[in-house]
């Protein structure tokens, strides 16, 4: 198994409720290491590009408005099979379907306001990391 990096966002519903530390603890307990992290407020243009794959979906406008509503914490997580492991720790998109103990089961408020984003494949992980972090922020 190879050491991988993946991209994570702690979404506005979670930063608003001061859950950043509890969410990071779940990553760390799963063997994921935070190798880059910053708190930002996304612009509408950034949110629209970031979620561009969903631009035709009915929830797109609401999703972008939510993602820019308050600050988020963007992070790079590293570990063995980090992409799959992060998705496992996150739980299903809809918290009603999320396995017990996952971030979304414990913290998400709804299918839209579901506390975390995580990359779904190596290509998207690389793209999403590069979208939010410069090479200089990724040393070590
Ligand atoms: N989303 C939503 N309604 C839906 C499906 C998705 O509001 O019916 C939002 C939700 O915030 C989700 C994001 O759009 O996390 C991206 O959807 P995706 O299917 O990629 O889910 P994820 O990869 O985040 O589990
Ligand atoms: Mg997705």
């Amino acid at each position: 198994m190879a050491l991988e990096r993946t991209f994570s966002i702690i979404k506005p519903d979670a930063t608003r409720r001061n859950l950043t530390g509890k969410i990071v603890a779940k990553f760390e307990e799963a063997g994921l290491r935070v190798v880059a992290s910053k708190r930002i407020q996304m612009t509408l243009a950034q949110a629209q590009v970031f979620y561009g794959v969903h631009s035709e979906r009915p929830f797109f406008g609401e999703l972008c408005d939510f993602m820019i509503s308050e600050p988020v914490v963007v992070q790079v997580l590293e570990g063995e099979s980090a992409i799959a492991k992060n998705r496992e720790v996150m739980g299903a998109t809809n918290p009603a379907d999320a396995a017990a103990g996952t971030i979304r089961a414990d913290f998400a408020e709804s299918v839209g306001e579901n506390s975390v984003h995580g990359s779904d494949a190596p290509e998207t992980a690389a793209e999403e990391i590069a979208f939010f972090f410069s090479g200089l922020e990724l040393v070590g």
Side-chain angles (χ1 to χ4, degrees):
M1 277 296 160
L3 205 58
E4 270 179 354
R5 286 184 170 189
T6 190
F7 176 73
S8 165
I9 305 178
I10 302 177
K11 294 185 178 183
D13 67 283
T15 59
R16 172 167 37 81
R17 288 176 290 148
N18 211 17
L19 293 170
T20 299
K22 286 190 170 130
I23 290 173
V24 169
K26 286 200 185 268
F27 294 145
E28 293 182 344
E29 281 157 20
L32 294 167
R33 181 182 301 276
V34 176
V35 295
S37 180
K38 58 187 174 184
R39 187 171 185 269
I40 61 164
Q41 188 150 9
M42 289 172 67
T43 64
L44 182 58
Q46 279 176 324
Q48 287 171 336
V49 171
F50 181 76
Y51 275 123
V53 66
H54 295 306
S55 62
E56 303 302 318
R57 309 283 290 277
F59 57 80
F60 181 66
E62 206 178 336
L63 174 61
C64 292
D65 287 346
F66 164 60
M67 291 300 291
I68 69 169
S69 64
E70 286 183 76
V72 297
V73 177
V74 292
Q75 298 189 301
V76 180
L77 307 177
E78 186 178 85
E80 295 291 326
S81 306
I83 297 164
K85 193 171 282 178
N86 181 39
R87 296 293 309 194
E88 204 178 299
V89 177
M90 288 165 60
T93 308
N94 186 341
D97 302 328
T102 60
I103 292 167
R104 283 165 165 171
D106 285 359
F107 303 128
E109 300 198 298
S110 65
V111 65
E113 305 204 0
N114 58 2
S115 303
V116 277
H117 165 85
S119 308
D120 58 12
E123 302 71 37
T124 47
E127 271 174 34
E128 291 173 359
I129 289 170
F131 189 70
F132 283 104
F133 290 94
S134 72
L136 278 176
E137 294 173 297
L138 294 169
V139 179

